Amino acid sequence: MAKDKRRREKPVSTGSIAFRIGLSSGLNLLLIFIVLDVILFGIFVVPGISEGSGQVELIFNDINAFYEFIREWKIDIILRTEGIIVVLWVILETLKVRSKLRPLQEFADAALRLSNMDGEIEQRYQKLENAIDMLSPAEDDQKLATGDAELAGLETAVNKLMSRMRDSYRQQARFVSDASHELRTPIAVIKGYADLLDRWGKTDEKILDESIQAIRSESENMQHLVEQLLFLARGDSGRTTLNITDFDITEVMKEVCEESAMIDQKHTYLFEGEEPVPFRGDASLIKQAARILIENASKYTPEGGEIKLRSLVSDGHPAFSVQDSGIGISESDIPHIFDRFYRADDSRSKQTGGSGLGLAIAKWIVERHGGRFEVISRKDIGTRITVIFS
């Protein structure tokens, strides 16, 4: 096994292959030179030395005469030149073949490195697995760390994934806790009035009427809350289907403005929009988002206050806005107003009511249409929320 492993780990080189091919090409060139030399010798030299039989004998028997013969016919220069040409030819052909074989060499080297890394990869995998096993999902400060520089990129990716998972877990836990809290209140009220009816409501009509009205009101609030929770749950799970059509945002905002003025006569509703604002999306959901923004504006605007609706094109993008003349939002609360169950002021929330899910639903609708919010608010002056679609 050790011998096989050493043989497998022996570097693969294409240099020797290239040299053998270059040498073979050089030998072929040398053979051509020899043939040409013989032919030229027979054509030019032999007739010159064959005039007398004694001259040939003298050349091959006397070393000085032989050297003189070589110098006279420049045979040494010719042979050296041919030798240099052959050597250069071998070098050039070797380099040429090696260049062509370089991708094969790189592939072989990569395959060898991968082959030799089998044990190392297994060790790193085991180290990574052990480090992951030691992590506790509940502890926020824990991060994956193996101390291996080669795994640094993977560690960063795993830590980011765990951070997102922890954030998601916290959001879900908070969502369940807040939903339970919101449902606990109407349930407690209904139970309290049921007990009141059981004790005195059978004979006291005033208590009976009061209890019925309270139970009906709390039941409606609870139904509304459950519907909002179901909407967000279906949206998060991808079960909400958008009915995409072409429509005019200006017409939708006009309809919402007229409906709001008809339902809520305690505020003044104004609309601005000079030209059509074409858009492609789910008209009913866009209308629902606009209604949520208007309902939120009416809650925080005193009676007789003005609520202005507008359709527009912002930097080439379709948009609409809802502006109130209410109490405004503090700068620190603006980044959180679209969070689920978030309330900027508990005392004001008790006065205005609401589940804290309306703006979260509006955010879900707008984001599914590729939109974003711009919020401008001043305390005791008012708030303007603009929805801009891409």
Side-chain angles (χ1 to χ4, degrees), residues 6-14 105 108-109 112:
R6 284 194 300 272
R7 185 165 55 248
R8 184 186 65 184
E9 293 179 351
K10 184 178 179 180
V12 178
S13 175
T14 56
Q105 178 70 52
D109 292 341
L112 179 63

Side-chain angles (χ1 to χ4, degrees), residues 286-305:
I286 296 300
K287 182 181 287 189
Q288 182 179 352
R291 285 171 177 162
I292 291 172
L293 296 179
I294 294 170
E295 181 183 356
N296 190 73
S298 65
K299 287 179 181 178
Y300 296 99
T301 300
E303 289 189 16

Side-chain angles (χ1 to χ4, degrees), residues 303-335:
E303 289 189 16
E306 185 179 275
I307 298 175
K308 184 183 295 183
L309 283 65
R310 185 184 176 200
S311 63
L312 66 152
V313 176
S314 176
D315 294 330
H317 300 290
F320 69 86
S321 66
V322 176
Q323 180 174 336
D324 63 49
S325 54
I327 60 178
I329 307 170
S330 65
E331 187 176 349
S332 60
D333 289 324
I334 289 178

